[in-house]
């Protein structure tokens, strides 16, 4: 195991609160089992000397590695060379007025190397695997986590073993194979693929990239929150909306935002809006009723959030409650209609899960949860080209014309 310096002070169970020192293959709390999700803790007093408004203004690295003082990888570790993070935060005042909002920002994570937010977690995963001297890493995924791991494993020279439900979009499975990953298309749901991947990692000694049980992966996801905090600083929006599946993403973003406040970069925090698809909304139901989470059969075209049995529920619920935010659920029709609406207003083309945040904002604005003066950030988590079939359902067909100006004129005159 490579010994490298970090500001990590240990791992703490979110269920029982017990603290643990870092150790190889410690994924969950030994006392609480699979429900004992761990959280990485840092020496923030020390980190403040290395990461603050002044240091960030002087840092020329346009990547997540500018945040190394609050990341769980060592200063001397070998890092992926793919350009990752510092994705644009666009401001669209005209679109905001159209939606009846005080302001609208789009955090465009479709721009990451493999086209999704999940690259943030995979970069940490492959770095930790390399630190431990592992040459193989594995994951279960509905698509994006798989393709991002395959890409970053290829970049670092690691073998990747991927488990996906066989219903995963063809473009995502193709991406895995192009990167050279070994792919297991499981004849079953994502939940079944997840448990098979867990068994295989334990059986064959592979490093486990599954965010739901590997605390370090959420640290990659929090870099989105760190970036938003740095990009807005003293002008933070009122709400941040993001799609929710397993719960790791919203929990990670919240942690990044809180750390930016702790480090003195932010002066206030936004409220979180967690958005789930109606056909896979167990976290929404638990939040709304106050009852323990009940698994459901996932049924949504937004494959990246098609999770019926989320594993990071505790962190996901806690993040939204601590922020004073809320959860909403939206239909697949609402998700589909948000694809061209976002693209035509902003130029950002996102897959179904990537526009679920916008669909949620529209629902929250209609219900009055989000007010007319509120400024909102939506996170576009995945590129639309990853699920072109869903996008095709939302648009018409091209005009078929002969190579003659008369045909063009006729087409323009059609109603």
């Amino acid at each position: 195991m490579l010994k490298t310096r970090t500001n990590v002070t240990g791992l703490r169970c979110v269920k029982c609160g017990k603290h643990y020192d870092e150790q190889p293959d410690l994924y969950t709390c030994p006392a609480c089992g699979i429900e004992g999700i761990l959280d990485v803790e840092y020496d923030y007093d020390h980190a403040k000397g290395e990461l603050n408004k002044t240091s960030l203004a002087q840092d020329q690295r346009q990547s997540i590695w500018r945040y190394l003082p609050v990341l769980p990888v060592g200063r001397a570790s070998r890092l992926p060379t793919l350009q990752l993070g510092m994705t644009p935060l666009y401001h669209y005042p005209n679109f905001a007025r159209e939606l009846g909002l005080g302001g609208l920002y789009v955090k465009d994570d479709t721009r990451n190397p493999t086209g999704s937010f999940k690259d943030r977690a995979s970069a940490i995963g492959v770095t930790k695997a390399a630190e431990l001297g592992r040459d193989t890493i594995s994951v279960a995924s509905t698509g994006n986590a798989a393709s991002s791991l395959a890409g970053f494993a290829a970049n670092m020279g690691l073998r990747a073993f991927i488990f996906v439900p066989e219903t995963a979009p063809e473009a995502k499975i193709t991406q895995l194979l192009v990167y050279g990953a070994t792919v297991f298309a499981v004849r079953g749901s994502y939940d079944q693929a997840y448990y098979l991947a867990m068994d295989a990692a334990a059986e064959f000694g592979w490093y486990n990239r599954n965010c739901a049980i590997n605390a370090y992966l959420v640290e990659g996801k929090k870099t989105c929150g760190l970036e938003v905090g740095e990009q807005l600083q003293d002008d933070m929006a009122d709400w941040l909306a993001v799609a929710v599946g397993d719960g790791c993403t919203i929990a990670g973003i919240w942690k990044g935002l809180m750390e930016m406040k702790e480090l003195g970069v932010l002066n206030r925090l936004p409220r979180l809006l967690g958005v789930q698809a109606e056909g896979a909304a167990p976290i929404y139901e638990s939040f709304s009723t106050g009852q323990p989470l009940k698994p459901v059969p996932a049924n949504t075209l937004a494959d990246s959030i098609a999770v019926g049995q989320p594993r990071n529920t505790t962190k996901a619920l806690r993040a939204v409650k601590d922020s004073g935010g809320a959860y909403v659920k939206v239909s697949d029709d609402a998700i589909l209609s948000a694809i061209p609406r976002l693209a035509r207003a902003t130029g950002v083309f996102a897959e179904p899960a990537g526009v679920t945040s916008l669909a949620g904002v529209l629902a929250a604005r209609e219900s009055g949860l989000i007010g007319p003066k509120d400024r909102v950030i939506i996170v576009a988590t995945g590129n639309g080209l990853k699920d072109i079939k869903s996008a095709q359902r939302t648009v018409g067909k091209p005009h078929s014309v002969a190579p003659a100006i008369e045909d063009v004129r006729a087409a323009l005159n059609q109603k």
Side-chain angles (χ1 to χ4, degrees):
M1 180 178 177
L2 180 64
K3 294 288 187 180
T4 56
R5 185 174 67 85
T6 72
N7 287 324
V8 174
T9 58
L11 307 170
R12 189 172 300 279
C13 176
V14 299
K15 184 177 181 182
C16 72
K18 188 172 181 179
H19 181 273
Y20 296 93
D21 292 332
E22 290 188 282
Q23 51 189 289
D25 298 321
L26 178 62
Y27 292 119
T28 57
C29 173
C32 299
I34 194 67
E35 294 182 0
I37 303 296
L38 299 175
D39 188 39
V40 183
E41 297 187 323
Y42 297 86
D43 180 349
Y44 290 113
D45 287 337
H46 190 275
K48 286 177 184 177
E50 304 175 286
L51 187 61
N52 48 60
K53 282 187 176 182
T54 301
S55 70
L56 289 170
Q58 297 171 348
D59 198 326
Q60 298 301 306
R61 291 171 296 180
Q62 294 299 300
S63 74
I64 69 169
W65 308 118
R66 64 197 284 113
Y67 305 119
L68 271 175
V70 287
L71 292 178
V73 298
R75 305 296 199 278
S77 295
R78 183 167 66 95
L79 303 174
T81 57
L82 295 174
Q83 174 60 42
L84 170 65
M86 289 309 290
T87 56
L89 182 68
Y90 299 122
H91 184 211
Y92 295 103
N94 291 340
F95 194 30
R97 284 191 288 272
E98 177 188 326
L99 301 180
L101 297 169
L104 182 73
Y105 300 85
V106 178
K107 179 64 171 168
D108 185 11
D109 256 36
T110 72
R111 302 280 293 274
N112 279 318
T114 76
S116 87
F117 177 97
K118 302 295 179 68
D119 286 348
R120 298 175 181 277
S122 291
I124 299 295
V126 296
T127 302
K128 294 301 292 184
E131 282 184 357
L132 293 168
R134 304 291 181 82
D135 63 1
T136 305
I137 189 167
S138 66
V139 73
S141 168
T142 55
N144 280 335
S147 56
S148 82
L149 178 64
F152 276 84
N155 181 255
M156 290 284 282
L158 304 178
R159 294 185 301 164
F161 290 88
I162 312 292
F163 296 78
V164 295
E166 64 179 1
T167 55
E170 185 178 358
K172 294 181 180 180
I173 292 179
T174 301
Q175 195 176 16
L176 299 174
L177 297 171
V178 166
Y179 286 130
T182 299
V183 181
F184 299 95
V186 180
R187 295 189 298 274
S189 67
Y190 163 71
D191 296 309
Q192 290 171 311
Y194 172 84
Y195 286 115
L196 182 59
M198 292 286 290
D199 291 342
E203 176 74 17
F204 303 114
W206 302 334
Y207 188 71
N208 195 331
R209 180 242 181 262
N210 285 306
C211 280
I213 62 113
N214 189 329
Y216 297 116
L217 276 297
V218 175
E219 300 304 294
K221 292 192 171 189
K222 82 179 182 187
T223 61
C224 180
L226 294 171
E227 288 176 19
V228 169
E230 181 181 357
Q231 288 166 322
L232 289 182
Q233 296 197 17
D234 296 329
D235 193 33
M236 178 51 67
D238 301 291
W239 290 85
L240 183 146
V242 65
V244 176
D246 247 330
C248 307
T249 294
I250 196 167
I253 290 175
W254 180 242
K255 184 174 183 180
L257 289 165
M258 287 197 301
E259 287 182 344
M260 276 307 199
K261 191 169 187 295
E262 174 71 23
L263 295 167
V265 177
L266 276 181
N267 60 5
R268 72 183 186 95
L269 295 166
R271 299 167 71 182
L272 295 180
L273 184 73
V275 190
Q276 293 208 285
E278 284 183 351
I283 296 179
Y284 162 82
E285 297 295 344
S286 178
F287 182 86
S288 300
T289 64
Q291 299 299 311
L293 184 135
K294 296 179 181 178
V296 299
N299 181 23
T300 174
L301 58 80
D303 65 281
S304 293
I305 54 171
V307 181
Q309 188 173 353
R311 276 94 190 167
N312 228 315
T313 304
T314 300
K315 285 185 181 180
L317 289 172
R318 184 177 298 170
V320 171
K321 289 177 182 176
D322 288 351
S323 78
Y327 277 93
V328 296
K329 62 180 179 179
V330 293
S331 68
D332 278 3
D333 285 345
I335 292 170
L336 281 175
S337 67
I339 295 175
R341 189 160 193 187
L342 178 67
R344 293 168 185 178
T346 69
V348 177
F349 178 25
E351 66 172 344
V355 298
T356 296
S357 53
L358 173 59
V361 169
L362 295 175
R365 181 68 193 93
E366 183 177 353
S367 71
L369 176 62
I370 291 179
K373 295 183 179 180
D374 288 344
R375 296 184 303 141
V376 181
I377 302 162
I378 65 171
V379 183
T381 50
N383 194 287
L385 293 175
K386 286 173 167 283
D387 187 0
I388 202 68
K389 289 182 179 179
S390 290
Q392 286 173 333
R393 294 173 57 182
T394 71
V395 294
K397 295 187 179 298
H399 296 287
S400 177
V401 298
I405 193 64
E406 291 79 9
D407 274 28
V408 175
R409 186 180 296 112
L412 290 173
N413 289 331
Q414 290 176 358
K415 293 183 179 181

